Every structure is written in structure tokens, then in C-alpha cells.
Amino acid sequence: MQPLPGWPHCWPCFCLLLLASLGARGALQYPRAAPEQVHLSYLGEPGSMTVTWTTWVPAGSEVQFGVHVSDPLPFRALGTASAFVDGGALRRKLYIHRVTLRGLRPGVQYVYRCGSAQGWSRRFRFRALKNGPHWSPRLAVFGDLGADNPKALPRLRRDTQQGLFDAVLHVGDFAYNMDEDNARVGDRFMRLIEPVAASLPYMTCPGNHEERYNFSNYKARFSMPGDTEGLWYSWDLGPAHIVSFSTEVYFFRHYGRHLIERQFRWLESDLQKANKQRATRPWIITMGHRPMYCSNADLDDCTRHESKVRRGHHGKFGLEDLFHKHGVDLQLWAHEHSYERLWPIYNYQVLNGSREAPYTNPRGPVHIITGSAGCEERLTPFVIHPRPWSAVRVKEYGYTRLHILNGTHVRLQQVSDDQDGKIVDDVWIVRPLLGRRMYL
Ligand SMILES: *[C@@H]1O[C@H](CO)[C@@H](O)[C@H](O)[C@H]1NC(C)=O
Ligand SMILES: *[C@@H]1O[C@H](CO)[C@@H](O)[C@H](O)[C@H]1NC(C)=O
Ligand SMILES: *[C@@H]1O[C@H](CO)[C@@H](O)[C@H](O)[C@H]1NC(C)=O
């Protein structure tokens, strides 16, 4: 047990509080109404940003915000709180607060604090996302970031302070695990990412490490677009349509067999809609935790020729055909604790644009596996001989910078934390403005 902050003087009171806290089962460590674990997300409504945070007692849900650091913050927005009870033995109760700020001016920097009269957070800053397709979003992309050994976090923090990104894509596997130690590991993780996540929309998809208690820590702690509690959703960012989904429906089927089909039908219709607006938003980018292909030296699904994510369950609801059919440009994956870039590929066939410029007018989707942000499980080795479809493999901690320059040009850079921020992979994907719907 840690000493209770601000409670050193009165021992009888302390003991009373202790008993009361024990009664409240587990609220012991942070018995306050002050917000913590503050983070942002974007629910897809232009000019909005959503703030999510945690308290340990019921409290108001308010955000005060404005454009100047020193002034009193002139605007306020109200939201709601919901109680989340973790599935662990202590049944710890978290109050998750959600407030959506609206009418934000595109590209303008805002200052905010969240909480209520019972306690306020410190002030944070963020830049409102720009609207429309004609700007160049920059994203940090990674998966598999733990509360222990979070190697990429210091540099991500620095990049965030320097304004290098507009959003983060965390491709599954958080904290290792959010439910552990009666969800205290989740609390520790959410505090750890706050310097990044309170300043940038932190967009997620579920990984296998979120599985406990039916993904409830994942669903409760994040606030993603749509009505599936972050299991699958999509959103538009500049010239891109970004689709997030759960590969876990293929593996933890006891939580709901119907989820594979429900998600698949949703993906189908979402990709159809995305193709209707493709002339204005040419890029379709997917993010899901477990890859279809990988050349790691383990026994994961992606090492199997007929991986479930690729081919589906008994050959049904496989994602490779679906994504190929709808002309998905770029597929972001994690799960393997390494970085791997594939040549454009469909059904094990390498489909380079040309030998000289494989990613210019590629004839199949491009896959990137970026799961080396750092966690207690450390890095994953590769098999000795790269597969013919594997272009680059890096067994070093790091993360990916994704720059969606415009409707035809996207740049991917892999940052190595082992090499003090050196760019160890750098590639442009170039596709024409029109005719993106199908690969020929
Ligand atoms: C798990 O969650 C999903 C969606 O969030 C729900 O449809 C399903 O019924 C749940 N399964 C169990 C066993 O609670
Ligand atoms: C794809 O392009 C790369 C780089 O030029 C080359 O090494 C590889 O052999 C090409 N693969 C095929 C099947 O053309
Ligand atoms: C995107 O940027 C590249 C590089 O500056 C440029 O060559 C290309 O014409 C641009 N495409 C569009 C659609 O503006």
C-alpha cells in the first residue's frame, strides 16, 4: 500500500478512511475525485475532440478550454460518467468520464483542463484536427506497448511535444495487461501514456492482451467512434479513410461466435461506402492486431500458410480477399514484437508496381507489421531466411511514422529506439488518384 497523498497528519482519521476505503474495495490508492489517466480521441465529427479520464469517486464531467495558455479558460463542455467494475477479485470501480468538445477551429491549438469543482486536472494542450481531405496528417503507429519496458515512449513523448503528429494509432496490446493486478496495471499504463495521449487523439484496436473479462478494460477505458465499444469502427482523416477492427473475434470465439460475421458484414459495407468517396479520400488504411503474414520464429497464426486472419474461420470471413477486393491500400498490423514490411502482396504473390519502384502503382495491398514499441515480453526473433514476400525486417524497438502527404503519396518511416531515433526504413507508397477501387 502506498501512503495516501495529502493525508499525513491525522492518524485516527487515516484509520477511519482506511476502513472506509477497504469497504469500498480497492479504492485505497487514489481515493480522490481528481482526474487522472487523461486522454483524447476523435469520434469522427469534424471540429470535435473527446476527452476521457478516470476518477475513483463519482464526480462531475466537465472540460474547460480555450486558445490561450494564461487566460482563464473561456469555454466549457459537459459530458457523462459511467462506472466500470473490473472483473478481478477486488471488483475495483473506476468512474470513466467522457466529454466531447465541439466547434473547434481546424488546426488551432487549444488548452484544456478536465474535472469538476471536486478536483481539476493540470492543463494540457492539443491541436484541433483539420477538416476535409486536403491536408497532410502525420501519425505515430505502433502496437504492443506495455507498462513495463515501454521503450518507445520517451521518444514518442518528445515527438508529441515537438508537434510531429496529428494522431496516434495503437494497433492493439496495451499495458500487459490492463486487467492485471485488479486492473492496476491498466491504471499505471494509462498514466504512463498521458503525456502523449492527452495531447493527441489516441486511436486503438483490441489485441489479444485485452481479452480478459470479454475485453472489458479495453472497451471501458477508451472512447472510439461508433457503437461497438471500440471493437470495430472507421473514421476519416485528411485524404484517408482509416478502418480499425478486431482480429480477436477469430480467436476468442467463446465471447460471441456471431461477432466474426457481424464485423465482417460491417467491414464489407464500410469499405463499399469508402469506395464511393474514394475520389476525394483515396487512401483506405486498415489497422488490426494480428497480421495475416509474418516471418517471425514463433507459432503465431501469421506463420501458418492459411492464417485465420487471412483465410477466416473454416475458409469463411477471411480478410485478405475482402481487403483486396475493395482496393485497400495499406494494412497496419502488430502482435509480432518487431518491424516487417512486405512487398505488395495478394495470396502469396508478390505484386510489385515494378522491380525498380515496387510501391509505385503496386498491384496489391502493402502490409506493415509494427509491434516493437516495447513490453515485458521483449522482441520477437525472425526465421533465418526471409520469405520471398518480406522486404525489410528490423528486430529493434521502435515505432512507425506515417505521413499521408496527399491523395497519391504516403510515406512510412521506421524509427529505431535501439539506434537512438535513427530512421531504419523509409518508403513511399504512390498510387494514382483514380482507379483505386480494384487491383488489376
Ligand atoms: C462480449 O462482448 C460482446 C460485444 O462487446 C458481446 O456481443 C458478447 O455478448 C459478450 N460476450 C459475453 C460472453 O459476455
Ligand atoms: C519486388 O521488388 C523487389 C525490389 O526491387 C525485388 O527484390 C523483388 O524480387 C521483386 N519481386 C518480384 C516478384 O518481382
Ligand atoms: C502529392 O505530392 C507529390 C510530392 O510532392 C506530388 O508529386 C503529387 O503530384 C501530389 N499529388 C497530388 C494529388 O497533389
Side-chain angles (χ1 to χ4, degrees), residues 187-233:
D187 297 332
R188 189 153 61 85
F189 176 79
M190 297 305 289
R191 288 183 203 117
L192 218 52
I193 62 166
E194 191 184 74
V196 174
S199 294
L200 293 171
Y202 198 91
M203 308 302 283
T204 59
C205 69
N208 52 300
H209 279 269
E210 284 66 73
E211 178 264 341
R212 283 295 282 287
Y213 318 125
N214 199 5
F215 298 85
S216 59
N217 266 271
Y218 171 81
K219 296 183 217 174
R221 289 173 187 270
F222 293 107
S223 312
M224 291 300 129
D227 55 4
T228 62
E229 302 173 292
L231 294 187
W232 58 81
Y233 62 88

Side-chain angles (χ1 to χ4, degrees), residues 1-20:
M1 192 191 86
Q2 290 186 3
L4 294 161
W7 201 262
H9 307 303
C10 164
W11 277 101
C13 318
F14 177 84
C15 294
L16 263 178
L17 185 81
L18 189 74
L19 284 171

Side-chain angles (χ1 to χ4, degrees), residues 22-301:
L22 281 172
R25 290 216 275 187
L28 210 50
Q29 226 168 330
Y30 296 88
R32 291 169 295 142
E36 56 169 88
Q37 310 176 34
V38 181
H39 54 108
L40 299 179
S41 57
Y42 176 65
L43 303 193
E45 179 189 333
S48 80
M49 192 66 84
T50 296
V51 189
T52 305
W53 70 92
T54 299
T55 61
W56 302 101
V57 291
S61 311
E62 180 178 343
V63 173
Q64 299 179 337
F65 61 110
V67 291
H68 298 295
V69 184
S70 49
D71 294 350
L73 300 167
F75 309 121
R76 62 194 283 260
L78 298 174
T80 56
S82 48
F84 164 59
V85 180
D86 171 62
L90 293 182
R91 295 272 182 267
R92 281 172 80 240
K93 198 175 206 178
L94 289 69
Y95 294 87
I96 310 282
H97 302 258
R98 295 185 167 91
V99 175
T100 297
L101 318 184
R102 295 194 166 83
L104 302 172
R105 301 205 320 260
V108 168
Q109 184 171 286
Y110 285 86
V111 180
Y112 73 98
R113 66 172 189 170
C114 59
S116 68
Q118 291 156 271
W120 290 100
S121 73
R122 72 175 183 85
R123 289 181 176 207
F124 299 100
R125 266 189 257 200
F126 72 90
R127 195 173 289 283
L129 292 172
K130 292 182 186 155
N131 297 335
H134 300 293
W135 62 288
S136 307
R138 293 153 313 159
L139 299 105
V141 187
F142 54 84
D144 306 72
L145 178 66
D148 292 311
N149 195 31
K151 277 284 194 318
L153 207 48
R155 185 164 279 100
L156 282 166
R157 221 171 136 155
R158 225 175 307 156
D159 284 5
T160 303
Q161 277 160 9
Q162 289 173 6
L164 250 54
F165 300 125
D166 299 294
V168 172
L169 306 181
H170 186 145
V171 192
D173 279 10
F174 306 80
Y176 291 74
N177 299 338
M178 289 194 285
D179 59 271
E180 294 270 311
D181 191 12
N182 287 286
R184 287 190 186 96
V185 176
D187 297 332
R188 189 153 61 85
F189 176 79
M190 297 305 289
R191 288 183 203 117
L192 218 52
I193 62 166
E194 191 184 74
V196 174
S199 294
L200 293 171
Y202 198 91
M203 308 302 283
T204 59
C205 69
N208 52 300
H209 279 269
E210 284 66 73
E211 178 264 341
R212 283 295 282 287
Y213 318 125
N214 199 5
F215 298 85
S216 59
N217 266 271
Y218 171 81
K219 296 183 217 174
R221 289 173 187 270
F222 293 107
S223 312
M224 291 300 129
D227 55 4
T228 62
E229 302 173 292
L231 294 187
W232 58 81
Y233 62 88
S234 65
W235 53 300
D236 291 334
L237 186 71
H241 180 71
I242 302 178
V243 183
S244 171
F245 63 95
S246 168
T247 51
E248 303 317 300
V249 297
Y250 293 90
F251 300 91
F252 298 108
R253 292 177 58 250
H254 55 278
Y255 286 127
R257 284 153 199 275
H258 62 290
L259 292 180
I260 300 182
E261 182 165 2
R262 255 183 68 199
Q263 172 173 268
F264 189 87
R265 300 286 171 231
W266 177 85
L267 283 169
E268 234 173 3
S269 87
D270 188 75
L271 291 171
Q272 267 160 18
K273 273 184 248 160
N275 267 307
K276 290 202 180 110
Q277 58 152 14
R278 203 115 188 222
T280 42
R281 289 190 206 273
W283 294 100
I284 299 181
I285 298 171
T286 61
M287 64 188 264
H289 182 62
R290 296 195 214 204
M292 294 183 196
Y293 298 91
C294 68
S295 56
N296 293 85
D298 55 27
L299 298 173
D300 285 348
D301 183 57

Side-chain angles (χ1 to χ4, degrees), residues 343 350 352 354-356 358 388:
W343 300 119
V350 171
N352 292 341
S354 66
R355 185 168 280 270
E356 299 67 43

Side-chain angles (χ1 to χ4, degrees), residues 405-409 433:
L405 186 68
N406 59 28
T408 56
H409 287 60
L433 259 191

